[in-house]
Amino acid sequence: MVVSDTPMGNGWWQASDGKWYSPEQHPGHDATEQTPAAEESAAGGAQPPGSDDPTGVQPSASDDPTGVQPPASEDPTMAQPPASPPPGSGEPTAAQPPASAPPPAAPPGGAPPAAGAAAAGAGDGGGKGKGKVIAAVVVVLALIGGGVAAFALLGDDEAGASVTLEPIAETGPDPFTEPAAPEPSGTLAEFAENGSPGEPMAEGSEDGPGDYRGAEGTEVGLYGGTQREDACDVAQLTDFLMNEPAKAEAWASVIGIDPAEIPDYLRTLTPVNLGSDTRVLNHGYADGEPTPRESVLQRGTAALVDTRGVPRVKCSCGNPLAEPAVDGGESFEGDEWPSFEGATVIVVVGANVDTDAFELVDYETGELFTRQAGSGSDDPGIGGATQDQVDDGPIDFDTEYEDALEEDRTEARYTLDAPDGAIMTLEVANDPDSVRSVRTQFTSDGETFASFRTAPGAEESETIILDHEGGGQFELAFDEGPAAYTFTVGLEVQSDAGEDGDAGSDFASAFEIAAGQEVAGLLGGQDGTDHYTLEIQPGTTFTYTAATARDAVRAVRHQISLDGDRFFSERVAPGADTEFDILLGEDDEGTLEIIVDEGGADYSFTADFVSADEGGGPGDAPATLADARAIDPSGPLIGEVGTRDSADYYTFDAPGPSLAITATNSADAVRAVRVQLQDASGGSLTSFRVSPGSETSETVEVEPGTEVRLIVDEGRGAYEITFG
């Protein structure tokens, strides 16, 4: 019987006695399937005594060439518990695992039992590569109870599984939670690409599982971090899961604990940044269930590890992690990061005992430092930690300040009051003689508006844009160092449409503009929408021109509505402009709403009305017979019809018994216009359509002096009509 205090390879499972058993001893093992050991024997792997077999292990008297005696039961696949010690021996009695026992829950801080096997198909690689053979690695164990020699056989190199590459900056599909880790930037992004600037990270041994290197979870320098920055916000992660019962249940099922134990369990984990590209079994969340995927996480990824050093949570998505089910010859899918090499990927193996501290590499300096295990550490920057909070008081805008961080002054904090619609430009310059970078954070009411680091000898700046009600007290904090630096917070206030402030985000807070006014505005940062209103002029042509600044981050969207009817929506790309016009009818009245959103940029627009002059009178010809405009048929009739101007109605007296009518439609018309002549009773005299750029003539017979109705509708075009 093969039994161990720790897992010895793929498929090993933990019983309720706390011991680990080989795959063939699992209650669900298929005895008809040839084991890796038996397959190796068939290939000549096991040798009798006296042969050239260097292991020198005597085969058992059974037919099993692995040398492991089957348990004394009628079912050779059923694992038997370890032999009970004699009374009074002081050794605990191991209970036989039930035939289909679920994996027992791990105590907080310990390696969650069989989490990887449960999620990936109990050691068969999630159904990938089951039954395949690679070179067997024989692991001999001296079992405490009886000194029994045992074997553990690993892997294959036939068609392996497909493994997803997950760069540090990507959350990945189906995340469990919102990000609980800072966005990778600055020195962390550099570390992910180039590694530590000084002390080398642990690279693992070459005899890891499959084609990977192996590394013990508590190895010095295996993980990285900084002494003053959270790698993972454990409190945020805890709150999110405990407020989402369905997700909490799915999350806990991967770890092997009860959902109610999540807060205590998370507090036993330690925030770190992975020191090497690391192979894991990642679990997303979809349709109420965990969705496992074999993955490689890029170096620098923020993670929580247990007290054996095994990664258990990916902080950027809250996903629970488990040990991977490693196949030989695995292939990779997804975008490779520039430094990726399959040969340097490691698999973390849990240490034999719990640790109470990790030796981490500071990814900014390359120096080693100690972090106590657990997210309740006393290290600066780690959850629950306390720092010397320096309150340096209020500061003024547009004033340069000098400051320094030293051994006895590790943080500086200032406050300032910003008006609504403010545009604040934060500039920091770090002295070339500074020892380390300065980190700058600009916050208000728990929201971070800017966060960046300035290296010695460098200058950094960031612009913060507030919306029409975003003003209030802000806090400016500096830490890290030691360093000497200067800083300035410049202030401007938005002047959308020439007013002192930011145009509001809804109708109630909109800026009212005038027809023909050139409006300039700004979007960006907190300010995502500007809203304007304009009183309509009925019976006119509404014209709209808009442009986006060339240095815009992305396109700016313009939308125009009347009484909830949106008749214009277009995105204007950086450096581009657009023109739009629409005919308004006599019945159109009220307030136009103009909404500008999306892009982060300066923009401009002009909204105006062009009066019509149809049938010899000012404005648009009426669209109803009752209000038809009387005209003189001796002169040309010019007008425009279409869109919101549905029709133009005219009346006149017939000049003679024979009435000739000629109609033309403008070459730039959108579509044909229809021309109709009716008698006083509404009977049709003629009806025809005139295509864009065309001319049509008709002659009708009508009694002189009788009333004739002329109706022009459909289409979208400028027409001219003459009578002869």
Side-chain angles (χ1 to χ4, degrees):
M1 175 171 55
V2 185
V3 63
S4 170
D5 290 330
T6 59
M8 301 306 301
N10 287 345
W12 280 65
W13 56 283
Q14 191 177 35
S16 58
D17 61 357
K19 302 292 185 180
W20 290 80
Y21 293 83
S22 59
E24 62 269 24
Q25 297 178 87
H26 194 278
H29 178 67
D30 185 354
T32 63
E33 184 176 328
Q34 191 176 24
T35 65
E39 292 182 20
E40 183 181 58
S41 176
Q47 302 294 330
S51 71
D52 294 332
D53 177 13
T55 65
V57 179
Q58 178 72 27
S60 68
S62 71
D63 293 333
D64 181 4
T66 65
V68 180
Q69 290 286 354
S73 72
E74 295 180 2
D75 183 357
T77 69
M78 292 298 291
Q80 299 296 322
S84 300
S89 66
E91 293 292 329
T93 301
Q96 179 174 345
S100 59
D124 64 358
K128 303 172 185 175
K130 184 176 180 181
K132 300 173 184 175
V133 181
I134 65 166
V137 180
V138 181
V139 181
V140 181
L141 297 177
L143 298 180
I144 295 175
V148 180
F151 300 100
L153 306 176
L154 302 177
D156 77 37
D157 60 359
E158 297 180 16
S162 180
V163 178
T164 301
L165 298 178
E166 300 194 25
I168 184 174
E170 293 184 8
T171 300
D174 304 326
F176 259 87
T177 71
E178 295 294 323
E183 179 128 355
S185 61
T187 51
L188 177 57
E190 293 173 10
F191 168 70
E193 176 55 33
N194 302 314
S196 173
E199 188 79 24
M201 306 295 291
E203 297 180 349
S205 62
E206 296 184 359
D207 58 352
D211 299 325
Y212 300 107
R213 294 174 174 268
E216 186 173 289
T218 55
E219 184 176 348
V220 173
L222 176 63
Y223 297 120
T226 65
Q227 292 179 287
R228 294 188 183 89
E229 183 176 31
D230 295 331
C232 187
D233 191 332
V234 176
Q236 175 183 319
L237 180 61
T238 302
D239 290 343
F240 187 96
L241 288 172
M242 299 314 291
N243 288 324
E244 296 279 349
K247 286 189 174 182
E249 184 173 355
W251 196 95
S253 71
V254 176
I255 300 298
I257 60 176
D258 187 90
E261 298 174 322
I262 288 176
D264 288 339
Y265 174 72
L266 286 174
R267 279 192 289 270
T268 69
L269 305 181
T270 305
V272 299
N273 295 91
L274 301 181
S276 303
D277 296 343
T278 304
R279 181 77 164 78
V280 297
L281 179 60
N282 195 356
H283 295 78
Y285 177 82
D287 300 325
E289 300 290 338
T291 55
R293 60 178 180 270
E294 300 290 349
S295 302
V296 172
L297 306 184
Q298 184 181 3
R299 171 178 56 205
T301 297
L304 296 174
V305 299
D306 64 23
T307 52
R308 302 289 177 97
V310 178
R312 293 301 177 193
V313 181
K314 182 183 176 186
C315 297
S316 65
C317 54
N319 288 0
L321 306 176
E323 296 90 337
V326 176
D327 267 344
E330 293 180 339
S331 61
F332 304 101
E333 62 180 13
D335 295 333
E336 293 187 1
W337 41 94
S339 62
F340 175 76
E341 292 183 27
T344 63
V345 176
I346 67 167
V347 174
V348 178
V349 178
N352 291 331
V353 296
D354 294 342
T355 185
D356 56 8
F358 291 89
E359 293 295 318
L360 306 183
V361 172
D362 189 312
Y363 58 66
E364 293 182 335
T365 66
E367 300 173 355
L368 287 172
F369 69 95
T370 300
R371 173 166 294 165
Q372 299 301 312
S375 57
S377 157
D378 289 332
D379 292 334
I382 304 305
T386 58
Q387 283 186 333
D388 231 358
Q389 301 294 311
V390 181
D391 182 4
D392 295 296
I395 58 173
D396 296 323
F397 288 106
D398 300 312
T399 302
E400 184 177 275
Y401 292 90
E402 294 183 358
D403 203 351
L405 299 173
E406 301 169 347
E407 295 297 334
D408 59 349
R409 184 175 185 267
T410 60
E411 186 177 69
R413 291 177 178 269
Y414 302 93
T415 60
L416 65 168
D417 294 322
D420 294 339
I423 305 172
M424 296 177 285
T425 303
L426 175 57
E427 298 178 339
V428 179
N430 195 355
D431 191 277
D433 295 330
S434 293
V435 177
R436 295 181 61 190
S437 297
V438 172
R439 183 176 69 162
T440 304
Q441 293 185 296
F442 196 64
T443 62
S444 179
D445 292 330
E447 181 179 357
T448 299
F449 289 80
S451 179
F452 58 88
R453 285 181 173 83
T454 308
E459 297 181 8
E460 302 287 346
S461 67
E462 191 157 336
T463 299
I464 301 97
I465 302 174
L466 305 182
D467 66 11
H468 65 287
E469 55 184 13
Q473 187 174 83
F474 284 75
E475 182 178 72
L476 179 60
F478 301 96
D479 63 6
E480 299 184 0
Y485 58 96
T486 61
F487 66 92
T488 304
V489 184
L491 175 66
E492 295 180 61
V493 177
Q494 292 193 58
S495 57
D496 291 345
E499 296 193 33
D500 186 17
D502 168 57
S505 58
D506 54 25
F507 188 86
S509 57
F511 280 0
E512 184 177 351
I513 61 174
Q517 176 183 350
E518 184 174 348
V519 175
L522 172 67
L523 293 174
Q526 186 190 55
D527 181 18
T529 302
D530 288 341
H531 204 112
Y532 303 90
T533 60
L534 175 62
E535 288 302 311
I536 202 170
Q537 295 180 16
T540 61
T541 300
F542 172 71
T543 64
Y544 190 80
T545 60
T548 301
R550 189 173 300 277
D551 60 355
V553 176
R554 60 182 186 273
V556 175
R557 183 174 65 171
H558 297 253
Q559 301 176 85
I560 305 174
S561 302
L562 176 61
D563 295 332
D565 178 17
R566 181 170 298 161
F567 54 79
F568 176 73
S569 180
E570 184 175 328
R571 290 175 174 85
V572 183
D577 55 44
T578 189
E579 295 183 4
F580 167 77
D581 64 73
I582 185 173
L583 295 178
L584 300 175
E586 284 292 324
D587 295 332
D588 283 331
E589 57 184 19
T591 303
L592 285 175
E593 296 180 62
I594 302 172
I595 302 172
V596 186
D597 62 8
E598 293 192 356
D602 292 306
Y603 62 86
S604 62
F605 70 83
T606 301
D608 203 357
F609 301 96
V610 179
S611 297
D613 187 12
E614 297 180 346
D620 176 56
T624 60
L625 178 62
D627 299 319
R629 178 168 291 177
I631 62 172
D632 180 359
S634 62
L637 175 66
I638 297 174
E640 194 169 2
V641 71
T643 54
R644 298 184 69 89
D645 181 12
S646 59
D648 291 339
Y649 277 75
Y650 305 94
T651 63
F652 62 93
D653 294 335
S658 180
L659 178 62
I661 180 172
T662 299
T664 61
N665 191 4
S666 60
D668 59 355
V670 177
R671 64 179 195 268
V673 297
R674 183 175 65 171
V675 178
Q676 302 177 74
L677 288 178
Q678 298 176 355
D679 59 24
S681 63
S684 177
L685 299 175
T686 187
S687 178
F688 56 88
R689 288 177 173 83
V690 186
S691 300
S694 298
E695 179 180 286
T696 301
S697 297
E698 294 275 353
T699 300
V700 297
E701 299 299 323
V702 61
E703 288 293 327
T706 60
E707 181 182 328
V708 178
R709 302 170 182 173
L710 170 63
I711 305 168
V712 185
D713 61 6
E714 296 186 356
R716 171 65 167 90
Y719 58 85
E720 181 175 339
I721 298 175
T722 58
F723 299 95

